[in-house]
């Protein structure tokens, strides 16, 4: 456990839900954990006891990726954890594959609606259709368009380029389809779950229109990926929005949690439930301020995003991590560029580089 983690409180210590089973974190809220085939090897999902139009049942928050082993674990959950009650709706915090991948399967299985923000729903529908589009051209962290984007920002390693280029089906392989209809979630809206109001809090920078849920009655925040206890939320610039400036959006979004109860129990999508939300927000603000200063100092001479990877990441990156590392490096450069602290230069080789003013 790193020093920052030691400043947080983990009510369940090292206890984790067993595969296909759940743990109750507060009355009516149960914690599931599903596998991911990455270095970040799990996602936390949530079962919320619910009642809609007089029907007793459950709301599922987030879904896991579309893999046979995840479907099998869900079937175990249905058999053992629902107390004989049905699923009433599926609510998704945002459009990343580990959160929305099985939404269509779950909604179809239980004949229930998907609840999601409009922006993330629309992007998920677009990207899940990538298999029917020209290879790698739909957008996201992998494929032909992604390779060209990262090459423009200095990525020359041929092995990394080939891996990025070859994974044009990255998103649709984990999100093969999205329900044709949905119920729109919006910032500030209140969703009643089991008679309790849950407030929706929008977050930007990590996903187009991420929705966290806060229960004032329970003092519980389902934070999605916006606030994680051990790792920093990925904030990236990808090829579909190459001029994006997401890092200030993310940091501004964290301020939306400042008014929540100090003892709020945070239920993150990765890592363990924790208390110490305001401390964790301070840690994230400090972390990014330090990284921005590191990048600014490195750019005494013109630097591409690829050049500053060693400044931001002090470990070997696999192909999956490389795409997000490049995206994050561009995000830090863009934050300083749009703030007027770096100039952007295009070299004769077509590579974009940034230099301190």
């Amino acid at each position: 456990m790193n020093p920052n983690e030691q400043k947080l409180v983990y009510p369940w210590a090292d206890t984790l839900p067993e595969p296909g089973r759940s743990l109750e974190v507060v009355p009516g809220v149960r914690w599931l954990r599903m596998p991911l085939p990455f270095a970040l090897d799990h996602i936390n999902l949530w079962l919320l006891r619910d009642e809609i139009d007089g029907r007793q049942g459950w709301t599922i928050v987030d879904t896991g990726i579309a893999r046979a082993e995840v479907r099998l674990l869900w079937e175990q959950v249905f058999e053992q954890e629902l107390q004989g009650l049905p699923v009433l709706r599926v609510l998704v915090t945002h459009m990343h594959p580990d959160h929305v991948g099985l939404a269509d399967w779950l909604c179809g299985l239980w004949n229930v609606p998907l609840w999601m923000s409009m922006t993330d729903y629309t992007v998920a529908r677009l990207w899940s259709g990538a298999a029917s589009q020209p290879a790698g051209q739909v957008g996201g962290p992998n494929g032909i368009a992604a390779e060209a984007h990262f090459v423009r920002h200095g990525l020359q390693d041929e092995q990394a380029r080939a891996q990025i280029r070859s994974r044009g089906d990255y998103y649709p392989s984990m999100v093969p389809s999205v329900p044709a209809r949905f119920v729109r979630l919006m910032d500030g809206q209140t969703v009643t779950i089991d008679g309790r109001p849950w407030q929706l809090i929008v977050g930007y920078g990590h996903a187009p229109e991420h929705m966290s849920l806060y229960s004032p009655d329970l003092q519980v925040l389902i934070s999605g990926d916006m606030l994680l206890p051990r790792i920093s939320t990925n904030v990236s610039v990808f090829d579909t929005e190459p001029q994006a400036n997401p890092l200030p959006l993310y940091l501004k979004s964290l301020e939306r949690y400042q008014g929540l109860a100090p003892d709020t129990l945070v239920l993150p999508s990765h890592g363990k439930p924790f208390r110490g939300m305001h401390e964790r927000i301070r840690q994230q603000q400090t972390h990014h301020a330090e990284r921005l200063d590191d990048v600014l100092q490195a750019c005494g001479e013109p630097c591409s995003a690829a050049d500053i990877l060693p400044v931001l990441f002090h470990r070997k990156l696999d192909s999956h991590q490389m795409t997000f590392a490049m995206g994050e490096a561009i995000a830090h450069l863009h934050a300083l560029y749009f703030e007027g602290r770096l100039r952007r230069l295009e070299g004769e080789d077509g590579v974009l580089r940034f230099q301190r003013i």
Side-chain angles (χ1 to χ4, degrees), residues 26 29 193 196-199 201 213-222 260-261 264:
V26 295
V29 179
I193 301 175
R196 292 190 181 97
W198 288 75
Q199 300 169 1
I201 304 173
L213 295 91
Y214 176 67
S215 169
D217 295 347
L218 298 173
Q219 292 190 2
V220 167
L221 173 69
I222 298 177
L260 305 187
T264 291

Side-chain angles (χ1 to χ4, degrees), residues 35-308:
L36 294 173
F38 314 121
L40 183 59
D41 63 2
H42 71 277
I43 179 173
N44 299 322
L45 312 174
W46 312 99
L47 289 175
L48 278 54
R49 191 70 163 78
D50 206 352
E51 179 181 350
I52 300 177
D53 296 333
R55 292 183 69 210
Q56 298 286 326
W58 299 90
T59 284
I60 292 173
V61 179
D62 289 336
T63 74
I65 61 173
R67 290 286 189 276
E69 61 270 25
V70 182
R71 292 188 186 93
L72 181 61
L73 289 171
W74 268 118
E75 289 169 357
Q76 294 177 34
V77 169
F78 301 151
E79 292 174 3
Q80 303 177 54
E81 301 297 312
L82 300 189
Q83 302 168 9
L85 297 173
V87 172
L88 301 177
R89 62 181 150 193
V90 175
L91 192 152
V92 168
T93 57
H94 63 294
M95 49 70 62
H96 292 156
D98 47 338
H99 298 262
V100 74
L102 281 175
D104 200 22
W105 178 72
L106 288 166
C107 289
L109 187 66
W110 291 98
N111 191 28
V112 297
L114 169 67
W115 293 50
M116 194 173 179
S117 74
M118 178 175 281
T119 311
D120 278 58
Y121 171 80
T122 302
V123 175
R125 287 272 287 177
L126 174 66
W127 286 12
S128 67
S132 63
Q133 303 295 325
Q137 297 297 327
V138 171
N142 289 275
I144 294 171
E147 181 203 9
H149 172 64
F150 292 138
V151 167
R152 184 162 170 76
H153 283 277
L155 184 64
Q156 296 300 321
D157 183 89
E158 184 51 45
Q159 183 178 2
R161 289 178 56 181
Q163 289 173 328
I164 292 168
R165 184 170 63 246
S166 69
R167 300 194 327 161
D169 66 344
Y170 169 84
Y171 193 91
S173 73
M174 292 182 287
V175 190
S177 58
V178 176
R181 297 172 182 82
F182 77 115
V183 177
R184 185 179 184 183
L185 300 178
M186 298 179 67
D187 180 43
Q189 179 182 350
T190 295
V191 176
T192 301
I193 301 175
D194 200 26
R196 292 190 181 97
W198 288 75
Q199 300 169 1
L200 297 179
I201 304 173
V202 72
Y204 300 109
H206 175 67
E209 192 182 5
H210 182 295
M211 289 295 168
S212 300
L213 295 91
Y214 176 67
S215 169
D217 295 347
L218 298 173
Q219 292 190 2
V220 167
L221 173 69
I222 298 177
S223 64
D225 280 346
M226 289 298 293
L227 200 60
L228 305 173
R230 186 171 183 269
I231 61 175
S232 296
T233 297
N234 179 261
V235 179
S236 285
V237 176
F238 293 124
D239 65 273
T240 44
E241 193 183 357
Q243 298 298 319
N245 187 19
L247 185 53
L249 294 177
Y250 171 71
L251 294 172
K252 183 75 172 176
S253 294
L254 290 181
E255 297 176 10
R256 296 172 180 267
Y257 304 124
Q258 294 283 18
L260 305 187
D263 200 35
T264 291
L265 176 64
V266 181
L267 306 182
S269 290
H270 308 284
K272 296 174 289 189
F274 69 96
R275 288 191 169 91
M277 174 184 61
H278 295 96
E279 167 63 27
R280 187 57 180 149
I281 291 170
R282 283 191 293 272
Q283 292 175 7
Q284 286 293 281
Q285 292 168 334
T286 299
H287 167 78
H288 284 293
E290 291 173 347
R291 296 294 80 75
L292 286 168
D293 186 61
D294 291 342
V295 170
L296 185 65
Q297 296 309 311
C299 289
E301 297 295 326
C303 287
S304 69
D307 292 332
I308 67 161

